[in-house]
């Protein structure tokens, strides 16, 4: 059993997608496990509400699991995954514009990430280079990005966090490459201005 | 004319140098300095410090003016192009010739060079923040998701060698057969 699990761990994303498309649930599980942190981080930067991020992450993972067989080219997985993430975020924006703003009683918006019990348990997997950046700076950057106008933050997150090309971002956001270029450029200068005193 | 004590004059010296006192008091202090050598020496020392300070201050301002003039030279058309395309440059999304133009600007123009450095530093910080955010997820949802979609799939014999889709197709054809819609060629 354990040797089988290591086997899946050694497969690359392309191989996992191909196996999962053939109905291999173990491959699908490994694929989701590999992607969940990535999806979680993306929603953390897109959504202004901390408490929605977990729900959105699981919703996106469920969508990936259910619809993976419809993906025609396994090598376009990353772009396809981000399309799902972006569309979920658009839906969320639409929902938010209709319902009044609510505040969670369980955690107050700004401090929950930094001070919840889960975060006070030391992470043994933390690598040295991640220690260079303080928790506060990460929170500040997250807040700065999630406060950008919708299209700007989608463009900058897809570019910097997901590493997608301008062409892929243009396709996902249904806009031209020129628009993507100027959105990313403007998002960067806005963020640089906002973070001037910290970097 | 009022006679001031040495202590009073020394306490007022810096205001006297800045000419912040009323004319009457200014005259009184001047009179005292002309008559008292001790206070005059104190005054000369302080005056010297003030003059040196003013000199240094004006020289720094001059330097700054020169710097601004130099700065303006570099804010040219090439710099404008650089600024417009810097973001796409670090994403490697420029055409070859534009890529070269930006690179050239960064080599020749010190302001452009600083901006490129700042941009790369900014990008590095973002990536570190992203890495940190990723590791904030301490839960593993993957097992739960698999359970959810497994529940939505029909139940199969676990020990069978057939893959899930083959099983599904078998089930379907069995179902159709049982309804007499699909016969296996027999």
């Amino acid at each position: 059993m354990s040797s089988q699990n290591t086997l899946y761990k050694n497969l690359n994303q392309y191989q996992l997608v191909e196996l999962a498309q053939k109905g291999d649930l173990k491959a699908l599980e490994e694929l989701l496990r590999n992607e969940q942190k990535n999806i979680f981080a993306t929603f953390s930067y897109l959504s202004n509400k901390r408490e929605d991020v977990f729900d959105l992450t699981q919703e996106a993972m469920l969508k990936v699991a259910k619809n993976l067989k419809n993906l025609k080219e396994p090598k376009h997985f990353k772009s396809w995954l981000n399309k799902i993430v972006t569309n979920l975020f658009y839906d969320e924006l639409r929902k938010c514009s209709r319902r009044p703003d609510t505040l969670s009683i369980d955690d107050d918006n700004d401090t929950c990430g930094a001070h919840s019990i889960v975060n006070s348990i030391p992470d043994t997997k933390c690598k040295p280079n991640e220690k260079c950046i303080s928790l506060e700076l990460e929170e500040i950057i997250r807040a700065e990005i999630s406060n950008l106008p919708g299209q700007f933050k989608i463009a900058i997150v897809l570019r910097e966090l997901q590493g997608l090309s301008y062409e892929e971002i243009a396709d996902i956001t249904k806009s031209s490459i020129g628009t993507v270029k100027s959105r990313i450029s403007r998002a960067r200068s806005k963020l640089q201005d906002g973070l001037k005193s910290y970097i | 004319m009022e006679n001031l004590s040495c202590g009073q004059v020394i306490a007022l010296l810096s205001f006297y140098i800045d000419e912040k006192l009323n004319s009457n008091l200014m005259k009184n202090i001047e009179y005292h300095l002309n008559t008292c050598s001790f206070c005059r020496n104190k005054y000369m020392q302080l005056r010297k410090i003030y003059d040196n300070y003013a000199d240094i201050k004006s020289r720094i301002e001059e330097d700054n003016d020169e710097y601004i003039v130099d700065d303006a030279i570099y804010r040219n058309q090439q710099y404008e192009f650089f600024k417009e395309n810097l973001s796409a440059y670090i994403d490697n999304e420029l055409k070859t010739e534009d890529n070269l133009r930006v690179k050239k600007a960064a080599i020749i123009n010190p302001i452009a060079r600083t901006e490129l450095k700042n941009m790369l530093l900014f990008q590095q910080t973002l990536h570190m923040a992203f890495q940190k955010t990723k590791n904030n997820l301490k839960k593993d949802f993957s097992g739960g998701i698999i359970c959810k979609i497994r529940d939505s799939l029909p139940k199969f014999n676990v020990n069978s060698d057939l893959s899930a889709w083959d099983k599904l197709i078998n089930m379907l054809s069995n179902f159709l057969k049982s309804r007499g819609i699909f016969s296996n060629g027999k």
Side-chain angles (χ1 to χ4, degrees), chain A residues 94-159:
Chain A
R94 243 170 273 139
K95 266 189 243 161
C96 283
S97 65
R98 262 183 271 128
R99 68 162 184 240
D101 232 9
T102 51
L103 270 180
S104 167
I105 317 171
D106 298 329
D107 41 35
D108 65 85
N109 275 352
D110 284 321
T111 53
C112 79
H115 303 297
S116 70
I117 301 164
V118 178
N119 276 303
S120 61
I121 299 168
D123 180 7
T124 48
K125 280 184 195 158
C126 184
K127 290 163 199 75
N129 65 335
E130 287 148 23
K131 285 181 186 156
C132 311
I133 189 160
S134 68
L135 192 63
E136 291 111 279
L137 184 55
E138 186 240 326
E139 283 287 319
I140 290 160
I141 291 176
R142 206 186 50 71
E144 283 282 336
I145 291 182
S146 53
N147 285 333
L148 288 174
Q151 289 298 345
F152 287 77
K153 71 179 159 194
I154 289 173
I156 193 82
V157 166
L158 291 182
R159 174 61 226 168

Side-chain angles (χ1 to χ4, degrees), chain A residues 21-23 25 28-29 32-33 36-38 40-41 44-45 50 54 58 61-62 65-66 69 118-119 123 129-130 132-133 135 137-138 141 145 159-161 165-166 181 184-185 188 191-192 195 199, chain B residues 83-94 115 118-123 125-143 145-146 148-150 152-153 163-165:
Chain A
Q21 284 191 319
K22 284 177 187 145
L25 289 182
L28 182 60
E29 189 175 344
L32 291 177
R33 189 171 295 124
Q36 60 186 349
K37 284 188 178 212
N38 198 11
F40 170 78
S44 301
Y45 286 90
R50 221 32 215 227
F54 288 102
Q58 291 183 76
M61 287 169 75
L62 193 61
K66 276 184 178 164
K69 55 184 183 293
V118 178
N119 276 303
D123 180 7
N129 65 335
E130 287 148 23
C132 311
I133 189 160
L135 192 63
L137 184 55
E138 186 240 326
I141 291 176
I145 291 182
R159 174 61 226 168
E160 290 284 24
L161 181 65
S165 70
Y166 285 11
K181 183 182 162 186
I184 291 176
S185 176
R188 279 198 175 116
L191 288 176
Q192 268 184 312
L195 299 168
I199 300 176
Chain B
K83 213 145 167 54
E84 219 168 274
N85 290 287
L86 175 60
S87 164
Y89 173 75
I90 63 163
D91 289 334
N92 208 7
E93 293 270 357
L94 287 178
E115 271 174 39
N118 288 344
M119 182 65 106
L120 293 174
L121 180 68
F122 160 74
Q123 199 182 27
T125 315
L126 274 194
H127 289 172
M128 284 196 283
F130 290 152
Q131 205 51 48
K132 191 145 197 137
T133 311
K134 279 186 193 174
N135 288 330
N136 279 349
L137 180 68
K138 313 281 181 192
K139 295 174 192 157
D140 184 359
F141 296 129
S142 53
I145 302 285
I146 296 296
K148 262 189 202 166
I149 63 157
R150 193 184 278 141
S152 67
L153 292 173
S163 85
W165 297 114

Side-chain angles (χ1 to χ4, degrees), chain B residues 1 4 8 11 16 42 44 46 56 61 75 79 90 101 106 117 130 133 144 146 148 165-166:
Chain B
M1 191 155 291
L4 294 164
Q8 283 172 318
Y16 174 76
K42 280 270 167 206
M44 297 300 259
L46 198 59
I56 291 166
E61 270 160 14
R75 295 188 188 278
Y79 174 75
I90 63 163
R101 275 180 76 183
K117 267 187 206 158
F130 290 152
T133 311
I146 296 296
K148 262 189 202 166
W165 297 114
D166 292 340

